[in-house]
Amino acid sequence: MSRKGQLTTPRRTIYHIVMDSSDHPTASDIMDRLKIRGANFAYATVYNSLRYLTEEGLIRELKLEGDASRYDARMENHQHVLCISCGKLDEVFIETPQTWLNSIAAATGYDIQEEQLLFKGVCGSCREQKTTVQ
């Protein structure tokens, strides 16, 4: 019997870790959290499970310029903002302006189906630390 289409124990466990995380964990973070829970899955199992969960639309893979992929279980349309100082990644629930999407579609000829925007800046904590150090 094929395991395609099944939420096996490793897949379910990894899915719950991503669901319970607000920090968009990497595969390495997930491995650490599995160990804390007493689960011992091989790296290949974790990566294959993450690929399966992504392909099935249960989680979203975030590929952030040169960094390891991070995973997000919030599937509603939203964007992300990354702190370039500490690496913190937050979610942004502000709708992308339709005029942007129309302009991109007109310029490229694409029918835009989905967008993923990444904003970068310095988070409040890092800004605060920088001002207290000076």
Side-chain angles (χ1 to χ4, degrees), residues 122 124-134:
V122 179
S125 295
C126 290
R127 277 195 332 272
E128 190 175 297
Q129 285 178 358
K130 186 175 181 178
T131 58
T132 57
V133 171
Q134 293 178 350

Side-chain angles (χ1 to χ4, degrees), residues 58-121:
L58 297 171
I59 63 173
R60 181 182 299 181
E61 180 179 11
L62 306 174
K63 296 179 181 181
L64 310 176
E65 298 177 5
D67 290 338
S69 290
R70 294 168 79 166
Y71 296 90
D72 188 358
R74 298 203 63 177
M75 297 305 292
E76 64 269 29
N77 196 18
H78 66 283
Q79 310 310 329
H80 294 89
V81 60
L82 176 68
C83 179
I84 58 174
S85 182
C86 70
K88 178 182 175 188
L89 186 67
D90 284 313
E91 295 169 316
V92 179
F93 291 93
I94 298 172
E95 192 170 322
T96 304
Q98 190 61 47
T99 55
W100 290 12
L101 300 175
N102 293 344
S103 295
I104 293 167
T108 63
Y110 278 72
D111 176 20
I112 306 297
Q113 301 292 315
E114 175 184 334
E115 73 270 1
Q116 287 188 19
L117 301 175
L118 175 65
F119 300 93
K120 294 180 180 182

Side-chain angles (χ1 to χ4, degrees), residues 4 26 48 80 107:
K4 180 73 176 156
T26 64
N48 289 335
H80 294 89

Side-chain angles (χ1 to χ4, degrees), residues 1-20:
M1 174 181 221
S2 169
R3 291 190 162 212
K4 180 73 176 156
Q6 292 183 13
L7 207 52
T8 61
T9 299
R11 290 173 181 169
R12 186 176 10 267
T13 304
I14 291 165
Y15 175 69
H16 286 293
I17 286 174
V18 176
M19 285 287 296
D20 295 341

